[in-house]
Structure formats: C-alpha cells, structure tokens
Amino acid sequence: MKFDDKIPIYLQIQNYLNRQIISGKILPGAQLPSVRQLAVEVTANVNTVQRALSQMIDEKIIVPQRGRGNFVTVDVELIEQLKMKLIDEQFALVYRQLHDLNFSDAEIIDKFVEYVKNRGALDE
C-alpha cells in the first residue's frame, strides 16, 4: 500500500479497510486477517495497524471475538451508514475544490450531470 505523507497512516489503513468492506471485497461477518498479517499486507507497523483496528472497533465496524480474532460487523445498516459517510466526504471535497475555482452551485450540478451522461464515452 502506498501512503500519503499528509494523512496519518492509521487513518489511511482504516480508510482502506472501510472501502474493502463497503465494496463487498470483505463481507459482513468475515474474519479479518491477524494484525500481523494485515501489517504485512499493507506494509505498515503492527502498532499502526492495531490503532486503525481499534478505531474501527470503537465505531463498531469491526467486532472483536476473544481468542478468535476480529470480524466485520453483520449490521448491514451500519455498513450502509459508513458508505453514506464516505460519499458525503467525497462530495464535500469535490464541492469545496470546485467552489474554490469560482463555480456556482448550478454550474457544479450541470457539469456533474454532463459528466455522468458522458461517462460511458470517456471509458471507451
């Protein structure tokens, strides 16, 4: 995993795992690899990975089971809330960036609709 120096690594690991869960690459109820295995997978320190997992446990996205490991929550509503939070964060980022370029709300909406309509042509 390639890390951005401007963002704490544990947050980047948490974001990576959240995206894996939201996208269905890690399913609800699935057991996560051990902390050591995750550290190797994302090329980070074990303590940093544990901090990311602790945050996710606090948010109830991950459920620890003593002696068995960490599991993704089976609460699909909680996963959906996580997905909506991520979408809101992405829209907020793009919105601020476009507003900084002096685009009006109407222009932003128009350009987004145009982008979605033309997206198929852009992928070809």
Side-chain angles (χ1 to χ4, degrees):
M1 191 171 163
K2 188 169 170 87
F3 295 108
D4 181 346
D5 293 340
K6 299 176 195 116
I7 302 168
I9 293 173
Y10 80 94
L11 288 176
Q12 293 178 67
I13 293 168
Q14 182 179 358
N15 190 32
Y16 165 76
L17 291 171
N18 283 339
R19 288 175 182 269
Q20 296 288 306
I21 293 166
I22 289 169
S23 69
K25 291 178 181 160
I26 302 176
L27 298 173
Q31 183 175 11
L32 293 177
S34 71
V35 175
R36 289 188 195 285
Q37 288 172 314
L38 274 173
V40 169
E41 182 180 322
V42 298
T43 62
N45 180 290
V46 173
N47 294 329
T48 304
V49 171
Q50 184 58 54
R51 184 168 181 194
L53 293 176
S54 293
Q55 286 283 121
M56 295 176 77
I57 289 168
D58 289 346
E59 294 172 5
K60 301 192 181 355
I61 300 299
I62 292 178
V63 180
Q65 292 184 10
R66 185 175 224 88
R68 294 192 60 219
N70 294 309
F71 294 80
V72 176
T73 182
V74 293
D75 184 345
V76 290
E77 187 175 314
L78 190 59
I79 294 172
E80 186 64 24
Q81 289 172 5
L82 180 64
K83 183 178 182 178
M84 291 299 112
K85 178 183 171 194
L86 181 66
I87 289 170
D88 287 345
E89 288 171 356
Q90 293 300 307
F91 276 134
L93 176 64
V94 171
Y95 181 80
R96 277 193 311 274
Q97 290 173 339
L98 292 174
H99 250 260
D100 288 347
L101 295 172
N102 292 321
F103 282 92
S104 69
D105 289 354
E107 289 173 314
I108 292 170
I109 292 168
D110 290 345
K111 288 306 270 180
F112 185 73
V113 168
E114 181 181 329
Y115 173 82
V116 171
K117 284 181 182 175
N118 295 327
R119 190 172 167 348
L122 295 174
D123 288 341
E124 295 172 358

